[in-house]
Amino acid sequence: VIIIFNAEDFSLRYMSKRGLDFLGMTIDEIQKMGVNYHTNILNPEDSVEYTPKIFELLRRNNNEAIISLFQEVRPPQQINFTWYITGCKVLLRDNEGHPKLLIGMSIPIDSLLELAQKAERILSENNFMHEHIHLFDSLTKREKELLKFFALGFTNDAISKELFISVETVATHRKNIKRKLGCKTNYDCTHFAQVFNLI
């Protein structure tokens, strides 16, 4: 489904026949909804995830930039949503070079909620990895080894016995790892270990 919408208020300007047929509506009916289109047709809970991505696309103002996002869509007369993955980019700019129109291409995916959540989690972890790799790379080989034990729930005493080092040394390593990674909780450390494939 091809969609074109206004970059200022996100009102719909165009939708291809396939999308109109799915919704059972005309373009005039959709346009009369105005900004209510997003709450009447799309699951408003999803907007928490994709709205920041759209604003980031507009902020970057780059002709080559494309964002992808998951959306749940349903015709007004139906209860169940259908999952779509949408790729979106700037289509047209005004005379000052500011984005005026955005174009999206939406493709239906498996309607199982779990599939979309898993895919979104993979994308999120990939972004986390790129944003925090410099922190992870600041760890020594030994600290990465200990991070794995911490993430697996080993106590300082158990790690001490496993690696033949003192409990105090383990505690110092734990403190240093948290400081280097900026971790405030044990869960934060576990998240690093998961994303960087230590566990």
Side-chain angles (χ1 to χ4, degrees):
V1 177
I2 305 298
I3 304 163
I4 297 175
F5 52 99
N6 192 307
E8 291 182 7
D9 63 5
F10 304 122
S11 59
L12 198 72
R13 298 286 295 274
Y14 169 83
M15 180 180 287
S16 62
K17 184 178 184 308
R18 183 176 180 138
L20 295 174
D21 290 346
F22 172 74
L23 295 176
M25 302 177 73
T26 66
I27 190 69
D28 289 338
E29 290 172 326
I30 294 175
Q31 288 176 337
K32 283 179 184 173
M33 290 182 186
V35 293
N36 291 329
Y37 161 80
H38 299 281
T39 53
N40 292 343
I41 304 298
L42 306 175
N43 186 342
E45 294 177 10
D46 296 339
S47 65
V48 175
E49 297 294 329
Y50 65 74
T51 300
K53 292 182 179 182
I54 295 174
F55 282 123
E56 176 63 16
L57 175 67
L58 295 173
R59 188 193 66 75
R60 286 165 55 193
N61 202 10
N62 180 337
N63 282 334
E64 304 304 315
I66 298 174
I67 59 166
S68 60
L69 45 99
F70 290 102
Q71 295 175 302
E72 292 178 279
V73 184
R74 70 175 173 199
Q77 68 276 13
Q78 291 187 11
I79 297 173
N80 296 325
F81 286 99
T82 299
W83 276 101
Y84 279 78
I85 184 167
T86 301
C88 185
K89 69 175 294 184
V90 174
L91 174 66
L92 183 70
R93 299 175 185 281
D94 62 19
N95 292 334
E96 286 79 39
H98 303 296
K100 185 173 182 179
L101 295 177
L102 302 176
I103 185 168
M105 181 177 199
S106 297
I107 301 169
I109 59 173
D110 192 311
S111 62
L112 293 176
L113 176 64
E114 293 80 8
L115 175 64
Q117 288 176 330
K118 286 177 184 177
E120 188 66 41
R121 189 162 52 245
I122 290 168
L123 292 171
S124 176
E125 286 185 359
N126 190 50
N127 289 336
F128 182 91
M129 185 185 310
H130 287 295
E131 291 169 7
H132 296 87
I133 191 159
H134 65 287
L135 297 178
F136 183 74
D137 285 345
S138 73
L139 299 180
T140 65
K141 183 177 178 181
R142 184 62 146 185
E143 286 171 335
K144 290 175 183 176
E145 181 183 22
L146 284 157
L147 177 58
K148 177 179 179 178
F149 282 109
F150 299 152
L152 291 172
F154 280 64
T155 64
N156 288 359
D157 189 54
I159 297 170
S160 168
K161 291 174 182 172
E162 183 75 23
L163 298 180
F164 305 104
I165 56 178
S166 72
V167 174
E168 292 76 17
T169 299
V170 175
T172 300
H173 277 304
R174 187 184 293 266
K175 181 179 174 184
N176 289 339
I177 290 168
K178 280 188 168 184
R179 178 183 48 79
K180 285 184 176 183
L181 298 181
C183 296
K184 295 181 179 176
T185 66
N186 288 335
Y187 171 78
D188 293 338
C189 288
T190 301
H191 186 56
F192 265 94
Q194 289 171 332
V195 169
F196 288 96
N197 297 316
L198 295 181
I199 58 173

